Amino acid sequence: MKIRNIAFMASGALLLAAAFAGFEAFDVRTVFAEQTQKTAEAVPAVSSATPLDAEKSLLGALTRKERELAAREEELVRKEERLNIVKADIEHRLSELKREHEQIAALVKKIDEINDQRIKRIVKIYESMTPEEAASRIEKLEEDMAVMILASMSERKAAKILSFVNVSKSVKLSQSLRVKN
């Protein structure tokens, strides 16, 4: 564009100069022909393909891209369907696990209640014994069981029983009671 503007201004200047100088035979077409030849040499040649061929190749490329995009979209739809199926399966399994967890928690609670009732019955039995009799039996029990029984008793009754228990066993039981409480 700049070259044309410069060429146009140069030719205008030559025309004026020729008019003032009296050159009537000055031909502007030769100036423009020379300028066109120079710009043609400077600009690289465009492919010899016709605009119709270029349009066909562009349409072919667009069609190919369209098919690729359609294939990708179909693949994404298939993957999304698979993910939805997997998600539904996971949600179903999760709800089953929650239900089973609740059942297990209920069973554990029931077992704990039964154990608490058993311990209370055992404690009542030991409380109904004389301190000497309870002490002789507690000496023969495992330490954990003896601590559990003594911890569930009132302090006054546990103290009376411990006063009749062997001194070394009584010290161990007292230490364990301290940790348990």
Side-chain angles (χ1 to χ4, degrees), residues 89-134:
D89 184 47
I90 288 172
E91 287 173 351
H92 176 71
R93 288 181 182 187
L94 187 61
S95 66
E96 284 180 8
L97 285 173
K98 284 181 181 178
R99 189 172 20 87
E100 288 178 12
H101 183 268
E102 289 170 357
Q103 288 174 346
I104 290 171
L107 288 173
V108 167
K109 185 178 178 182
K110 206 177 240 184
I111 290 170
D112 287 344
E113 288 173 357
I114 291 170
N115 283 338
D116 286 346
Q117 289 174 355
R118 286 182 181 166
I119 291 169
K120 286 179 183 177
R121 281 187 21 222
I122 292 172
V123 168
K124 282 184 181 179
I125 292 171
Y126 275 87
E127 285 178 336
S128 66
M129 294 179 189
T130 63
E132 296 88 10
E133 189 180 343

Side-chain angles (χ1 to χ4, degrees), residues 14-53:
L14 285 175
L15 280 174
L16 284 174
F20 287 119
F23 292 110
E24 295 175 7
F26 185 72
D27 190 10
V28 176
R29 286 178 279 173
T30 57
V31 173
F32 280 116
E34 289 174 10
Q35 189 63 34
T36 306
Q37 186 178 10
K38 288 180 184 177
T39 57
E41 291 171 1
V43 175
V46 180
S47 69
S48 63
T50 65
L52 186 61
D53 291 340

Side-chain angles (χ1 to χ4, degrees), residues 132-148:
E132 296 88 10
E133 189 180 343
S136 67
R137 294 184 184 200
I138 283 185
E139 283 181 349
K140 295 175 185 170
L141 290 176
E142 292 180 14
E143 188 175 328
D144 291 338
M145 183 67 165
V147 168
M148 186 174 53

